Amino acid sequence: LEAQMHGGGHERGLRSGTLATHQIAAMGHAFSLALEEYSAEAEQLEALRSRFIKGLEGLEGVQVHGPAKERVPGIVNIGFEGVDGESLLLALRGIAVSSGSACASATTEPSYVLRGIGLPPEQAQGSLRFSMGRFTTEAEIETAAERITEAVQRLRERSAARRATV
């Protein structure tokens, strides 16, 4: 092992300074609280996710990716047929949405996870990841579903108009 910081010689020469015991104890307490609230929070997030998906039911060509039982409670990945994911992303300013995972944010390649579950590259490229958190409200979910529906319809109309003129 190599030293993380130099000087002082604490921790058998691997780390300088004194451990922040108060921060370590606080983190342990935070973990305990999170564990106590996990079930209720997971249930709340699953309800928000279900409400969000239901809010998109009137929109044709929507594909929710991944098995329903094996999803993280507050995250859903959705593809919109006939719509480029980046164009939709830009049309949804003000809504926290991503076209890929945080660990692959520096690349324009389609998600390796979506490709891994069998989506063709163009379908994976056109998908967006939506996340909900403990402070997300039902009103925000409904607004997001409405704005997404409007944006998808507008982008599809533009795409159809372009194809008609070509």
Side-chain angles (χ1 to χ4, degrees):
L1 296 176
E2 289 188 34
Q4 294 175 340
M5 296 180 279
H6 299 283
H10 295 80
E11 304 299 323
R12 293 180 297 263
L14 295 178
R15 187 185 164 285
S16 293
T18 303
L19 292 176
T21 308
H22 63 291
Q23 292 174 343
I24 295 168
M27 183 178 284
H29 184 66
F31 289 155
S32 294
L33 291 175
L35 185 60
E36 286 174 20
E37 297 177 13
Y38 177 78
S39 293
E41 189 168 317
E43 196 173 300
Q44 174 193 0
L45 292 173
E46 287 173 1
L48 287 171
R49 183 185 62 205
S50 294
R51 187 178 191 114
F52 178 66
I53 293 168
K54 187 170 178 65
L56 298 173
E57 281 181 350
L59 190 58
E60 291 185 27
V62 173
Q63 181 181 11
V64 178
H65 301 129
K69 297 288 184 194
E70 296 175 12
R71 291 187 196 127
V72 174
I75 300 174
V76 63
N77 188 285
I78 302 177
F80 301 89
E81 188 178 308
V83 176
D84 173 63
E86 284 299 312
S87 297
L88 182 55
L89 185 69
L90 293 172
L92 296 176
R93 292 191 192 279
I95 295 178
V97 62
S98 172
S99 60
S101 64
C103 58
S105 62
T107 179
T108 58
E109 292 296 313
S111 163
Y112 68 90
V113 174
L114 294 177
R115 289 191 328 252
I117 64 169
L119 292 182
E122 64 278 354
Q123 198 174 3
Q125 191 76 37
S127 299
L128 295 180
R129 178 177 47 89
F130 300 90
S131 301
M132 293 115 225
R134 71 170 48 154
F135 301 113
T136 304
T137 65
E138 289 182 4
E140 290 170 328
I141 292 295
E142 291 169 10
T143 299
E146 289 170 11
R147 289 210 31 227
I148 292 161
T149 298
E150 292 167 4
V152 168
Q153 290 171 338
R154 188 173 57 249
L155 290 169
R156 285 178 178 164
E157 288 169 6
R158 286 183 190 162
S159 180
R162 269 188 245 128
R163 284 193 307 271
T165 60
V166 173

